[in-house]
């Protein structure tokens, strides 16, 4: 299975989702290919933001080598599933021409269909940790559902 995680700038939320999915695929020995991208090109070529790198590191995940890129209908249409962090990302992906049946919101997996907020919307140091926990839960639920796992 190939999954693309998408947020707005590809420097906070989607790199965390990519890192968590890679970690879980390795841990659970799954054949899973993952990547991440943004609906905007504002940060093309940039590394994930410091807050995301640090929170991932606290959870033993290294996302520091990832680079931001803009999602492309032509390059990314090969993914089996495109997982957006929020409703605005879903709308942008549909507007770009992606097949709606491939697009899912991460919050639909164990998070009561909630949007995953940008960690900068939190005005405290716990914002990245809160967003990390939401993404981790969503990614775990997504993987368990599609790989039919009953892992604790």
């Amino acid at each position: 299975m190939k999954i693309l995680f998408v947020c707005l700038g590809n420097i906070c939320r989607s790199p965390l989702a990519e890192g968590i999915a890679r970690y879980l695929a390795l841990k659970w020995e799954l054949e899973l290919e993952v990547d991440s991208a943004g609906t905007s090109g504002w940060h093309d070529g940039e590394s994930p933001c410091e807050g995301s790198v640090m929170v991932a590191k606290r959870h033993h995940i290294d996302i520091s080598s990832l680079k931001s890129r803009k999602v492309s209908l032509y390059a990314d249409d090969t993914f089996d599933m495109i997982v957006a962090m929020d409703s605005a990302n879903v709308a942008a992906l549909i507007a770009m021409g992606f097949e709606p049946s491939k697009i899912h919101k991460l919050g639909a997996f164990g998070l009561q269909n909630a949007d995953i907020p940008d960690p900068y919307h939190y005005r405290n140091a716990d914002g990245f940790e809160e967003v990390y926990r939401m993404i981790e839960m969503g990614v775990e639920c997504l993987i368990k559902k599609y790989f039919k796992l009953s892992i604790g």
Side-chain angles (χ1 to χ4, degrees):
M1 175 175 264
K2 292 174 59 175
I3 302 173
L4 178 67
F5 294 99
V6 177
C7 68
L8 179 62
N10 192 217
I11 61 166
C12 294
R13 298 170 290 171
S14 57
L16 282 173
E18 178 183 352
I20 291 166
R22 286 182 194 277
Y23 174 81
L24 293 175
L26 188 62
K27 178 180 174 181
W28 294 337
E29 300 177 355
L30 304 173
E31 288 193 35
L32 177 62
E33 183 180 326
V34 296
D35 197 359
S36 63
T39 58
S40 79
W42 296 338
H43 299 285
D44 274 353
E46 291 181 24
S47 298
C49 68
E50 185 179 341
S52 288
V53 171
M54 296 307 294
V55 75
K57 190 177 209 174
R58 281 197 302 268
H59 292 274
H60 311 289
I61 297 172
D62 183 7
I63 63 169
S64 63
S65 65
L66 300 180
K67 298 293 181 203
S68 175
R69 69 181 184 84
K70 184 176 181 182
V71 68
S72 162
L73 179 60
Y74 303 104
D76 296 321
D77 197 41
T78 61
F79 284 90
D80 301 307
M81 180 182 292
I82 301 170
V83 181
M85 297 297 120
D86 60 37
S87 300
N89 302 143
V90 169
L93 289 164
I94 291 169
M96 288 177 189
F98 283 94
E99 176 58 44
S101 65
K102 282 188 174 186
I103 302 168
H104 303 270
K105 192 164 79 168
L106 185 60
F109 301 97
L111 297 165
Q112 301 176 337
N113 208 34
D115 282 350
I116 307 297
D118 186 313
Y120 287 108
H121 288 254
Y122 291 90
R123 299 282 189 233
N124 59 52
D126 295 334
F128 282 92
E129 186 63 39
E130 180 63 26
V131 167
Y132 179 91
R133 280 191 228 125
M134 292 177 76
I135 293 171
E136 180 182 48
M137 179 181 285
V139 171
E140 280 185 9
C141 289
L142 181 156
I143 289 173
K144 286 177 182 179
K145 177 179 179 176
Y146 284 95
F147 283 91
K148 296 177 179 24
L149 300 175
S150 59
I151 299 169

mmCIF file of all heavy atoms in Angstrom, residues 57-101:
data_model
loop_
_atom_site.group_PDB
_atom_site.id
_atom_site.type_symbol
_atom_site.label_atom_id
_atom_site.label_comp_id
_atom_site.label_asym_id
_atom_site.label_seq_id
_atom_site.Cartn_x
_atom_site.Cartn_y
_atom_site.Cartn_z
ATOM 1 N N LYS A 57 11.454 13.548 17.596
ATOM 2 C CA LYS A 57 12.663 13.026 18.245
ATOM 3 C C LYS A 57 12.358 12.515 19.662
ATOM 4 O O LYS A 57 12.884 11.481 20.074
ATOM 5 C CB LYS A 57 13.727 14.125 18.285
ATOM 6 C CG LYS A 57 15.091 13.673 18.709
ATOM 7 C CD LYS A 57 16.063 14.853 18.637
ATOM 8 C CE LYS A 57 17.449 14.341 18.359
ATOM 9 N NZ LYS A 57 18.387 15.426 18.131
ATOM 10 N N ARG A 58 11.501 13.230 20.390
ATOM 11 C CA ARG A 58 11.108 12.775 21.733
ATOM 12 C C ARG A 58 10.420 11.416 21.690
ATOM 13 O O ARG A 58 10.408 10.686 22.672
ATOM 14 C CB ARG A 58 10.183 13.800 22.409
ATOM 15 C CG ARG A 58 10.905 14.987 22.981
ATOM 16 C CD ARG A 58 10.060 15.773 23.979
ATOM 17 N NE ARG A 58 8.803 16.274 23.467
ATOM 18 C CZ ARG A 58 8.625 17.475 22.917
ATOM 19 N NH1 ARG A 58 9.645 18.305 22.789
ATOM 20 N NH2 ARG A 58 7.432 17.850 22.504
ATOM 21 N N HIS A 59 9.845 11.099 20.534
ATOM 22 C CA HIS A 59 9.159 9.814 20.364
ATOM 23 C C HIS A 59 10.006 8.832 19.546
ATOM 24 O O HIS A 59 9.464 7.874 18.980
ATOM 25 C CB HIS A 59 7.790 10.042 19.722
ATOM 26 C CG HIS A 59 6.850 10.767 20.630
ATOM 27 N ND1 HIS A 59 6.068 10.131 21.559
ATOM 28 C CD2 HIS A 59 6.587 12.093 20.778
ATOM 29 C CE1 HIS A 59 5.355 11.014 22.224
ATOM 30 N NE2 HIS A 59 5.654 12.219 21.770
ATOM 31 N N HIS A 60 11.296 9.105 19.451
ATOM 32 C CA HIS A 60 12.272 8.217 18.793
ATOM 33 C C HIS A 60 12.052 8.092 17.286
ATOM 34 O O HIS A 60 12.278 7.030 16.708
ATOM 35 C CB HIS A 60 12.287 6.839 19.461
ATOM 36 C CG HIS A 60 12.389 6.922 20.946
ATOM 37 N ND1 HIS A 60 13.547 7.311 21.580
ATOM 38 C CD2 HIS A 60 11.474 6.705 21.915
ATOM 39 C CE1 HIS A 60 13.338 7.325 22.887
ATOM 40 N NE2 HIS A 60 12.089 6.972 23.120
ATOM 41 N N ILE A 61 11.608 9.176 16.663
ATOM 42 C CA ILE A 61 11.395 9.217 15.225
ATOM 43 C C ILE A 61 12.194 10.387 14.667
ATOM 44 O O ILE A 61 12.110 11.497 15.188
ATOM 45 C CB ILE A 61 9.893 9.382 14.890
ATOM 46 C CG1 ILE A 61 9.105 8.166 15.402
ATOM 47 C CG2 ILE A 61 9.689 9.579 13.400
ATOM 48 C CD1 ILE A 61 7.602 8.313 15.286
ATOM 49 N N ASP A 62 12.954 10.123 13.607
ATOM 50 C CA ASP A 62 13.779 11.170 12.996
ATOM 51 C C ASP A 62 13.148 11.611 11.679
ATOM 52 O O ASP A 62 13.095 10.831 10.722
ATOM 53 C CB ASP A 62 15.194 10.654 12.759
ATOM 54 C CG ASP A 62 16.124 11.711 12.187
ATOM 55 O OD1 ASP A 62 15.730 12.891 12.084
ATOM 56 O OD2 ASP A 62 17.263 11.348 11.827
ATOM 57 N N ILE A 63 12.659 12.830 11.631
ATOM 58 C CA ILE A 63 12.102 13.373 10.387
ATOM 59 C C ILE A 63 12.976 14.512 9.840
ATOM 60 O O ILE A 63 12.591 15.184 8.883
ATOM 61 C CB ILE A 63 10.648 13.853 10.574
ATOM 62 C CG1 ILE A 63 10.557 14.999 11.588
ATOM 63 C CG2 ILE A 63 9.725 12.693 10.959
ATOM 64 C CD1 ILE A 63 9.199 15.700 11.620
ATOM 65 N N SER A 64 14.135 14.711 10.421
ATOM 66 C CA SER A 64 14.965 15.871 10.079
ATOM 67 C C SER A 64 15.451 15.879 8.631
ATOM 68 O O SER A 64 15.746 16.938 8.092
ATOM 69 C CB SER A 64 16.161 15.964 11.030
ATOM 70 O OG SER A 64 16.991 14.823 10.898
ATOM 71 N N SER A 65 15.519 14.737 7.985
ATOM 72 C CA SER A 65 16.028 14.693 6.610
ATOM 73 C C SER A 65 14.928 14.883 5.562
ATOM 74 O O SER A 65 15.221 14.995 4.366
ATOM 75 C CB SER A 65 16.739 13.364 6.354
ATOM 76 O OG SER A 65 15.812 12.295 6.433
ATOM 77 N N LEU A 66 13.674 14.940 5.983
ATOM 78 C CA LEU A 66 12.584 15.133 5.027
ATOM 79 C C LEU A 66 12.630 16.549 4.454
ATOM 80 O O LEU A 66 13.082 17.473 5.111
ATOM 81 C CB LEU A 66 11.230 14.882 5.705
ATOM 82 C CG LEU A 66 11.014 13.496 6.290
ATOM 83 C CD1 LEU A 66 9.622 13.402 6.919
ATOM 84 C CD2 LEU A 66 11.191 12.411 5.239
ATOM 85 N N LYS A 67 12.142 16.696 3.233
ATOM 86 C CA LYS A 67 12.093 18.000 2.572
ATOM 87 C C LYS A 67 10.683 18.253 2.060
ATOM 88 O O LYS A 67 10.047 17.376 1.478
ATOM 89 C CB LYS A 67 13.067 18.064 1.387
ATOM 90 C CG LYS A 67 14.528 17.896 1.781
ATOM 91 C CD LYS A 67 15.009 19.053 2.605
ATOM 92 C CE LYS A 67 16.475 18.870 2.974
ATOM 93 N NZ LYS A 67 16.855 19.623 4.140
ATOM 94 N N SER A 68 10.226 19.473 2.260
ATOM 95 C CA SER A 68 8.892 19.863 1.838
ATOM 96 C C SER A 68 8.792 19.884 0.314
ATOM 97 O O SER A 68 9.752 20.222 -0.386
ATOM 98 C CB SER A 68 8.577 21.258 2.385
ATOM 99 O OG SER A 68 7.339 21.699 1.891
ATOM 100 N N ARG A 69 7.604 19.520 -0.142
ATOM 101 C CA ARG A 69 7.323 19.616 -1.573
ATOM 102 C C ARG A 69 5.826 19.828 -1.757
ATOM 103 O O ARG A 69 5.026 19.512 -0.879
ATOM 104 C CB ARG A 69 7.780 18.371 -2.324
ATOM 105 C CG ARG A 69 6.975 17.127 -2.001
ATOM 106 C CD ARG A 69 7.483 15.908 -2.768
ATOM 107 N NE ARG A 69 6.658 14.741 -2.543
ATOM 108 C CZ ARG A 69 5.537 14.452 -3.203
ATOM 109 N NH1 ARG A 69 5.087 15.275 -4.140
ATOM 110 N NH2 ARG A 69 4.845 13.357 -2.939
ATOM 111 N N LYS A 70 5.476 20.381 -2.906
ATOM 112 C CA LYS A 70 4.067 20.594 -3.226
ATOM 113 C C LYS A 70 3.510 19.331 -3.864
ATOM 114 O O LYS A 70 4.164 18.694 -4.690
ATOM 115 C CB LYS A 70 3.895 21.781 -4.172
ATOM 116 C CG LYS A 70 2.449 22.096 -4.456
ATOM 117 C CD LYS A 70 2.280 23.337 -5.311
ATOM 118 C CE LYS A 70 0.786 23.579 -5.525
ATOM 119 N NZ LYS A 70 0.556 24.725 -6.382
ATOM 120 N N VAL A 71 2.296 18.979 -3.476
ATOM 121 C CA VAL A 71 1.625 17.823 -4.061
ATOM 122 C C VAL A 71 1.388 18.079 -5.556
ATOM 123 O O VAL A 71 1.166 19.215 -5.975
ATOM 124 C CB VAL A 71 0.301 17.523 -3.309
ATOM 125 C CG1 VAL A 71 -0.725 18.598 -3.522
ATOM 126 C CG2 VAL A 71 -0.253 16.165 -3.686
ATOM 127 N N SER A 72 1.485 17.011 -6.345
ATOM 128 C CA SER A 72 1.316 17.132 -7.791
ATOM 129 C C SER A 72 0.371 16.043 -8.278
ATOM 130 O O SER A 72 0.597 14.855 -8.014
ATOM 131 C CB SER A 72 2.674 16.974 -8.485
ATOM 132 O OG SER A 72 2.513 16.672 -9.856
ATOM 133 N N LEU A 73 -0.651 16.423 -8.995
ATOM 134 C CA LEU A 73 -1.601 15.455 -9.526
ATOM 135 C C LEU A 73 -0.881 14.412 -10.377
ATOM 136 O O LEU A 73 -1.160 13.216 -10.290
ATOM 137 C CB LEU A 73 -2.685 16.161 -10.347
ATOM 138 C CG LEU A 73 -3.742 15.261 -10.983
ATOM 139 C CD1 LEU A 73 -4.506 14.482 -9.918
ATOM 140 C CD2 LEU A 73 -4.696 16.081 -11.836
ATOM 141 N N TYR A 74 0.076 14.831 -11.167
ATOM 142 C CA TYR A 74 0.744 13.913 -12.081
ATOM 143 C C TYR A 74 1.722 12.986 -11.361
ATOM 144 O O TYR A 74 1.774 11.800 -11.638
ATOM 145 C CB TYR A 74 1.449 14.712 -13.188
ATOM 146 C CG TYR A 74 0.460 15.580 -13.914
ATOM 147 C CD1 TYR A 74 0.411 16.949 -13.689
ATOM 148 C CD2 TYR A 74 -0.481 15.028 -14.775
ATOM 149 C CE1 TYR A 74 -0.535 17.748 -14.327
ATOM 150 C CE2 TYR A 74 -1.424 15.812 -15.409
ATOM 151 C CZ TYR A 74 -1.443 17.171 -15.179
ATOM 152 O OH TYR A 74 -2.383 17.946 -15.799
ATOM 153 N N ALA A 75 2.456 13.501 -10.409
ATOM 154 C CA ALA A 75 3.447 12.686 -9.702
ATOM 155 C C ALA A 75 2.832 11.851 -8.586
ATOM 156 O O ALA A 75 3.337 10.781 -8.253
ATOM 157 C CB ALA A 75 4.545 13.588 -9.125
ATOM 158 N N ASP A 76 1.753 12.312 -8.000
ATOM 159 C CA ASP A 76 1.220 11.668 -6.796
ATOM 160 C C ASP A 76 -0.067 10.873 -7.007
ATOM 161 O O ASP A 76 -0.599 10.298 -6.069
ATOM 162 C CB ASP A 76 1.002 12.728 -5.701
ATOM 163 C CG ASP A 76 2.314 13.359 -5.267
ATOM 164 O OD1 ASP A 76 3.314 12.638 -5.177
ATOM 165 O OD2 ASP A 76 2.331 14.580 -5.037
ATOM 166 N N ASP A 77 -0.527 10.788 -8.239
ATOM 167 C CA ASP A 77 -1.749 10.031 -8.502
ATOM 168 C C ASP A 77 -1.544 8.521 -8.356
ATOM 169 O O ASP A 77 -2.514 7.769 -8.334
ATOM 170 C CB ASP A 77 -2.290 10.366 -9.897
ATOM 171 C CG ASP A 77 -3.731 9.947 -10.065
ATOM 172 O OD1 ASP A 77 -4.514 10.148 -9.111
ATOM 173 O OD2 ASP A 77 -4.075 9.397 -11.128
ATOM 174 N N THR A 78 -0.306 8.080 -8.226
ATOM 175 C CA THR A 78 -0.013 6.643 -8.079
ATOM 176 C C THR A 78 -0.253 6.141 -6.656
ATOM 177 O O THR A 78 -0.238 4.933 -6.434
ATOM 178 C CB THR A 78 1.446 6.330 -8.465
ATOM 179 O OG1 THR A 78 2.315 7.052 -7.589
ATOM 180 C CG2 THR A 78 1.732 6.712 -9.911
ATOM 181 N N PHE A 79 -0.461 7.038 -5.704
ATOM 182 C CA PHE A 79 -0.706 6.613 -4.328
ATOM 183 C C PHE A 79 -2.082 5.961 -4.222
ATOM 184 O O PHE A 79 -3.036 6.404 -4.856
ATOM 185 C CB PHE A 79 -0.587 7.796 -3.356
ATOM 186 C CG PHE A 79 0.835 8.169 -3.095
ATOM 187 C CD1 PHE A 79 1.478 9.106 -3.890
ATOM 188 C CD2 PHE A 79 1.547 7.575 -2.061
ATOM 189 C CE1 PHE A 79 2.802 9.444 -3.661
ATOM 190 C CE2 PHE A 79 2.868 7.903 -1.814
ATOM 191 C CZ PHE A 79 3.495 8.837 -2.620
ATOM 192 N N ASP A 80 -2.167 4.908 -3.409
ATOM 193 C CA ASP A 80 -3.439 4.224 -3.188
ATOM 194 C C ASP A 80 -4.381 5.081 -2.366
ATOM 195 O O ASP A 80 -5.595 5.004 -2.520
ATOM 196 C CB ASP A 80 -3.211 2.897 -2.436
ATOM 197 C CG ASP A 80 -2.295 1.968 -3.199
ATOM 198 O OD1 ASP A 80 -2.576 1.700 -4.384
ATOM 199 O OD2 ASP A 80 -1.292 1.513 -2.603
ATOM 200 N N MET A 81 -3.797 5.875 -1.470
ATOM 201 C CA MET A 81 -4.581 6.672 -0.542
ATOM 202 C C MET A 81 -3.870 8.004 -0.302
ATOM 203 O O MET A 81 -2.652 8.039 -0.136
ATOM 204 C CB MET A 81 -4.721 5.908 0.782
ATOM 205 C CG MET A 81 -5.515 6.619 1.827
ATOM 206 S SD MET A 81 -5.586 5.678 3.387
ATOM 207 C CE MET A 81 -6.576 4.290 2.880
ATOM 208 N N ILE A 82 -4.644 9.069 -0.303
ATOM 209 C CA ILE A 82 -4.118 10.390 0.006
ATOM 210 C C ILE A 82 -4.829 10.835 1.279
ATOM 211 O O ILE A 82 -6.057 10.936 1.310
ATOM 212 C CB ILE A 82 -4.349 11.376 -1.149
ATOM 213 C CG1 ILE A 82 -3.669 10.836 -2.419
ATOM 214 C CG2 ILE A 82 -3.821 12.754 -0.789
ATOM 215 C CD1 ILE A 82 -4.019 11.579 -3.683
ATOM 216 N N VAL A 83 -4.047 11.074 2.323
ATOM 217 C CA VAL A 83 -4.610 11.358 3.636
ATOM 218 C C VAL A 83 -4.311 12.810 4.012
ATOM 219 O O VAL A 83 -3.163 13.185 4.233
ATOM 220 C CB VAL A 83 -4.049 10.387 4.696
ATOM 221 C CG1 VAL A 83 -4.656 10.678 6.058
ATOM 222 C CG2 VAL A 83 -4.321 8.944 4.288
ATOM 223 N N ALA A 84 -5.376 13.598 4.079
ATOM 224 C CA ALA A 84 -5.269 15.029 4.369
ATOM 225 C C ALA A 84 -5.420 15.284 5.860
ATOM 226 O O ALA A 84 -6.122 14.561 6.557
ATOM 227 C CB ALA A 84 -6.346 15.783 3.598
ATOM 228 N N MET A 85 -4.768 16.326 6.338
ATOM 229 C CA MET A 85 -4.806 16.656 7.759
ATOM 230 C C MET A 85 -6.060 17.414 8.166
ATOM 231 O O MET A 85 -6.435 17.384 9.332
ATOM 232 C CB MET A 85 -3.570 17.469 8.162
ATOM 233 C CG MET A 85 -2.247 16.748 7.992
ATOM 234 S SD MET A 85 -2.098 15.283 9.037
ATOM 235 C CE MET A 85 -1.876 14.036 7.772
ATOM 236 N N ASP A 86 -6.705 18.104 7.223
ATOM 237 C CA ASP A 86 -7.909 18.849 7.593
ATOM 238 C C ASP A 86 -8.838 19.014 6.395
ATOM 239 O O ASP A 86 -8.489 18.639 5.267
ATOM 240 C CB ASP A 86 -7.568 20.198 8.231
ATOM 241 C CG ASP A 86 -6.776 21.119 7.327
ATOM 242 O OD1 ASP A 86 -7.030 21.138 6.106
ATOM 243 O OD2 ASP A 86 -5.909 21.848 7.846
ATOM 244 N N SER A 87 -9.997 19.557 6.646
ATOM 245 C CA SER A 87 -11.020 19.725 5.608
ATOM 246 C C SER A 87 -10.561 20.646 4.486
ATOM 247 O O SER A 87 -10.900 20.428 3.316
ATOM 248 C CB SER A 87 -12.305 20.278 6.231
ATOM 249 O OG SER A 87 -12.792 19.393 7.206
ATOM 250 N N ALA A 88 -9.794 21.681 4.806
ATOM 251 C CA ALA A 88 -9.281 22.588 3.779
ATOM 252 C C ALA A 88 -8.339 21.848 2.836
ATOM 253 O O ALA A 88 -8.353 22.088 1.621
ATOM 254 C CB ALA A 88 -8.583 23.786 4.416
ATOM 255 N N ASN A 89 -7.524 20.946 3.375
ATOM 256 C CA ASN A 89 -6.623 20.148 2.527
ATOM 257 C C ASN A 89 -7.417 19.217 1.620
ATOM 258 O O ASN A 89 -7.075 19.041 0.451
ATOM 259 C CB ASN A 89 -5.655 19.319 3.359
ATOM 260 C CG ASN A 89 -4.789 20.125 4.309
ATOM 261 O OD1 ASN A 89 -4.518 19.683 5.409
ATOM 262 N ND2 ASN A 89 -4.359 21.306 3.902
ATOM 263 N N VAL A 90 -8.493 18.625 2.152
ATOM 264 C CA VAL A 90 -9.353 17.756 1.344
ATOM 265 C C VAL A 90 -9.919 18.558 0.170
ATOM 266 O O VAL A 90 -9.855 18.130 -0.986
ATOM 267 C CB VAL A 90 -10.499 17.141 2.188
ATOM 268 C CG1 VAL A 90 -11.531 16.458 1.296
ATOM 269 C CG2 VAL A 90 -9.949 16.152 3.214
ATOM 270 N N ALA A 91 -10.461 19.735 0.448
ATOM 271 C CA ALA A 91 -11.047 20.579 -0.599
ATOM 272 C C ALA A 91 -9.995 20.971 -1.641
ATOM 273 O O ALA A 91 -10.267 20.958 -2.849
ATOM 274 C CB ALA A 91 -11.681 21.821 0.017
ATOM 275 N N ALA A 92 -8.792 21.311 -1.194
ATOM 276 C CA ALA A 92 -7.717 21.700 -2.123
ATOM 277 C C ALA A 92 -7.323 20.530 -3.024
ATOM 278 O O ALA A 92 -7.108 20.716 -4.227
ATOM 279 C CB ALA A 92 -6.506 22.207 -1.342
ATOM 280 N N LEU A 93 -7.243 19.337 -2.465
ATOM 281 C CA LEU A 93 -6.877 18.156 -3.253
ATOM 282 C C LEU A 93 -7.940 17.846 -4.310
ATOM 283 O O LEU A 93 -7.611 17.523 -5.455
ATOM 284 C CB LEU A 93 -6.670 16.952 -2.339
ATOM 285 C CG LEU A 93 -5.411 17.012 -1.471
ATOM 286 C CD1 LEU A 93 -5.499 16.001 -0.328
ATOM 287 C CD2 LEU A 93 -4.159 16.788 -2.305
ATOM 288 N N ILE A 94 -9.199 17.979 -3.944
ATOM 289 C CA ILE A 94 -10.279 17.750 -4.903
ATOM 290 C C ILE A 94 -10.223 18.806 -6.002
ATOM 291 O O ILE A 94 -10.353 18.496 -7.191
ATOM 292 C CB ILE A 94 -11.651 17.733 -4.190
ATOM 293 C CG1 ILE A 94 -11.747 16.469 -3.311
ATOM 294 C CG2 ILE A 94 -12.790 17.799 -5.198
ATOM 295 C CD1 ILE A 94 -12.929 16.450 -2.365
ATOM 296 N N ALA A 95 -9.977 20.069 -5.620
ATOM 297 C CA ALA A 95 -9.869 21.157 -6.601
ATOM 298 C C ALA A 95 -8.700 20.948 -7.560
ATOM 299 O O ALA A 95 -8.767 21.362 -8.723
ATOM 300 C CB ALA A 95 -9.742 22.502 -5.885
ATOM 301 N N MET A 96 -7.645 20.283 -7.078
ATOM 302 C CA MET A 96 -6.481 20.003 -7.930
ATOM 303 C C MET A 96 -6.762 18.878 -8.920
ATOM 304 O O MET A 96 -5.971 18.662 -9.838
ATOM 305 C CB MET A 96 -5.283 19.608 -7.065
ATOM 306 C CG MET A 96 -4.675 20.728 -6.300
ATOM 307 S SD MET A 96 -3.325 20.064 -5.269
ATOM 308 C CE MET A 96 -2.951 21.487 -4.279
ATOM 309 N N GLY A 97 -7.842 18.143 -8.706
ATOM 310 C CA GLY A 97 -8.204 17.086 -9.644
ATOM 311 C C GLY A 97 -7.952 15.669 -9.165
ATOM 312 O O GLY A 97 -8.103 14.721 -9.937
ATOM 313 N N PHE A 98 -7.569 15.500 -7.900
ATOM 314 C CA PHE A 98 -7.375 14.152 -7.380
ATOM 315 C C PHE A 98 -8.721 13.441 -7.277
ATOM 316 O O PHE A 98 -9.745 14.065 -7.013
ATOM 317 C CB PHE A 98 -6.699 14.183 -6.003
ATOM 318 C CG PHE A 98 -5.225 14.449 -6.068
ATOM 319 C CD1 PHE A 98 -4.735 15.738 -5.935
ATOM 320 C CD2 PHE A 98 -4.323 13.412 -6.269
ATOM 321 C CE1 PHE A 98 -3.386 16.002 -6.004
ATOM 322 C CE2 PHE A 98 -2.970 13.662 -6.341
ATOM 323 C CZ PHE A 98 -2.491 14.957 -6.209
ATOM 324 N N GLU A 99 -8.702 12.143 -7.481
ATOM 325 C CA GLU A 99 -9.899 11.313 -7.383
ATOM 326 C C GLU A 99 -10.420 11.363 -5.944
ATOM 327 O O GLU A 99 -9.718 10.950 -5.021
ATOM 328 C CB GLU A 99 -9.565 9.870 -7.780
ATOM 329 C CG GLU A 99 -10.698 8.897 -7.618
ATOM 330 C CD GLU A 99 -11.924 9.278 -8.420
ATOM 331 O OE1 GLU A 99 -11.779 9.672 -9.595
ATOM 332 O OE2 GLU A 99 -13.028 9.173 -7.859
ATOM 333 N N PRO A 100 -11.630 11.886 -5.738
ATOM 334 C CA PRO A 100 -12.160 12.007 -4.375
ATOM 335 C C PRO A 100 -12.181 10.694 -3.590
ATOM 336 O O PRO A 100 -12.018 10.708 -2.373
ATOM 337 C CB PRO A 100 -13.576 12.558 -4.590
ATOM 338 C CG PRO A 100 -13.480 13.316 -5.872
ATOM 339 C CD PRO A 100 -12.532 12.502 -6.725
ATOM 340 N N SER A 101 -12.352 9.563 -4.278
ATOM 341 C CA SER A 101 -12.402 8.285 -3.561
ATOM 342 C C SER A 101 -11.054 7.900 -2.948
ATOM 343 O O SER A 101 -11.006 7.064 -2.051
ATOM 344 C CB SER A 101 -12.889 7.166 -4.485
ATOM 345 O OG SER A 101 -11.956 6.946 -5.532
#
